[in-house]
Amino acid sequence: MKLFQLYPQSSPNVAPNCFEGRDIVLGSYLTSSKDPQIKIQHHPDALEYVERWLSSAARCGLHTVLLVNKASESFQDGIRAIFAKASTGYGSLYCAEVTPRGFTPNDERFLHALELLRAFPCDKVFLTDVGDLFFGRDPFALLENREPEDFIDPTALTRCTSPTEVRRWGLRATWQVRHRKGFRYFLGHEPGTIRENPWLCRQYERLQGRVPAKLGSRPVLNCGILGGDRADIIPLLERFEEELTALNQRERACDMVLFNSLLREHDEKQLFSGGLLSSPWKEYLRQGPWYIFHK
């Protein structure tokens, strides 16, 4: 792995302590193989794929790292210009060139993130999707402040269509506020349970034969957003690497199945998704109170 800084200064060599005392957001644009969901291999210099993610990170003053397989001079110049144009004077931009390991981009990004976090210590980290995600606010504020209102999404109540759904919303919101100070892993949110998600059920069937009975009633966790303290995220990524290596699945993405299983090795009181961390799934919103807008 080769890490270099692009903004506010340009430097081909950075010290291992460059993120010391900092929180970082980490995204990836890996182009050595096809995206397993859309069946397209992205061009290494396609700035439009990363532009919205980079611009939003710059506006929020985030220390930002983009993992790539190849960073040409024109690509470096392009992402530097995008970040600089949107910057408010805070934050920074780094790029890390990584060597392909033969897995899908969806899975491989977590292996490269693990390598980077081991080599370059930071405080907290958010690993996120890039092409379908942007930042509305600094997400580390939610982790740091633990304000009760950040753990409730009032707009979700307006989408309830029955008394049962209203009651479920109220119970979940109350539970999340009560346990907010103990959460260690912060993830993207999708509605419903694993058993109620046909796409995720198919992934479980293809990789493991079936959905484990103990997981079927658990809420879906979307690993397109994964945040927490570096000290907590590294062991989770190490477990992910172990399981991915054992599966040796090179054609299908395993990330959603593995993280929904691995995270359930922890107490449910340590897992948070929803609230104002991320916008309602697949509503493609562009404004509102959320820290992260995801699809």
Side-chain angles (χ1 to χ4, degrees):
M1 174 179 290
K2 178 183 178 183
L3 179 69
F4 41 94
Q5 185 176 3
L6 296 177
Y7 184 86
Q9 295 86 29
S10 293
S11 173
N13 299 300
V14 296
N17 65 349
C18 61
F19 300 133
E20 191 172 297
R22 292 179 171 181
D23 304 324
I24 64 171
V25 294
L26 184 56
S28 64
Y29 183 51
L30 304 178
T31 57
S32 64
S33 59
K34 289 183 178 180
D35 183 310
Q37 290 180 296
I38 61 176
K39 312 300 182 186
I40 291 175
Q41 186 167 352
H42 295 289
H43 190 280
D45 292 338
L47 294 173
E48 61 273 12
Y49 185 86
V50 301
E51 182 173 8
R52 186 174 60 173
W53 184 81
L54 285 172
S55 295
S56 67
R59 284 194 300 272
C60 292
L62 303 177
H63 298 294
T64 307
V65 183
L66 183 65
L67 300 166
V68 299
N69 292 131
K70 181 181 180 182
S72 66
E73 289 294 329
S74 62
F75 185 76
Q76 292 180 46
D77 291 342
I79 62 175
R80 182 191 296 112
I82 290 169
F83 198 90
K85 182 178 179 180
S87 177
T88 58
Y90 300 94
S92 57
L93 175 62
Y94 292 77
C95 191
E97 278 191 326
V98 297
T99 303
R101 293 182 56 176
F103 295 99
T104 70
N106 298 47
D107 295 330
E108 199 160 286
R109 56 180 169 162
F110 294 106
L111 308 183
H112 298 310
L114 174 59
E115 181 184 358
L116 185 138
L117 291 174
R118 282 171 170 164
F120 298 93
C122 63
D123 282 359
K124 298 178 180 65
V125 59
F126 263 101
L127 285 63
T128 76
D129 287 352
V130 170
D132 62 356
L133 180 149
F134 67 94
F135 300 97
R137 295 190 277 165
D138 177 355
F140 297 105
L142 183 147
L143 277 63
E144 186 69 28
N145 300 328
R146 308 282 173 139
E147 297 292 347
E149 57 267 27
D150 284 342
F151 292 82
I152 302 173
D153 180 1
T155 69
L157 181 58
T158 66
R159 293 188 294 276
C160 294
T161 59
S162 70
T164 299
E165 289 186 1
V166 171
R167 181 175 179 274
R168 183 185 296 175
W169 175 88
L171 290 173
R172 179 178 174 83
T174 301
W175 185 89
Q176 290 183 321
V177 170
R178 181 183 300 132
H179 296 290
R180 69 188 187 280
K181 294 186 178 180
F183 292 134
R184 295 168 58 195
Y185 304 95
F186 296 79
L187 293 112
H189 176 67
E190 293 190 33
T193 65
I194 293 175
R195 188 181 294 114
E196 294 167 342
N197 188 305
W199 179 88
L200 188 52
C201 286
R202 288 195 298 272
Q203 304 312 305
Y204 266 101
E205 289 164 4
R206 288 166 176 166
L207 293 175
Q208 298 184 1
R210 61 183 178 85
V211 177
K214 64 180 180 179
L215 297 183
S217 61
R218 299 295 184 90
V220 176
L221 302 172
N222 189 311
C223 60
I225 300 171
L226 172 61
D229 288 345
R230 171 181 176 269
D232 289 324
I233 297 300
I234 283 181
L236 176 62
L237 295 181
E238 289 174 340
R239 289 283 291 113
F240 176 83
E241 183 176 39
E242 290 173 7
E243 294 296 321
L244 183 66
T245 302
L247 280 174
N248 197 33
Q249 173 55 254
R250 305 281 172 156
E251 301 298 325
R252 296 187 185 278
C254 305
D255 54 343
M256 283 288 288
V257 166
L258 290 182
F259 279 112
N260 271 277
S261 298
L262 291 172
L263 284 161
R264 267 47 191 248
E265 295 177 356
H266 300 274
D267 190 312
E268 198 79 23
K269 294 189 180 86
Q270 297 178 355
L271 311 178
F272 175 72
S273 67
L276 295 184
L277 176 60
S278 59
S279 60
W281 179 243
K282 287 195 173 179
E283 292 200 12
Y284 301 93
L285 300 176
R286 295 293 178 266
Q287 58 185 5
W290 298 280
Y291 285 87
I292 299 174
F293 290 80
H294 193 192
K295 268 191 184 174

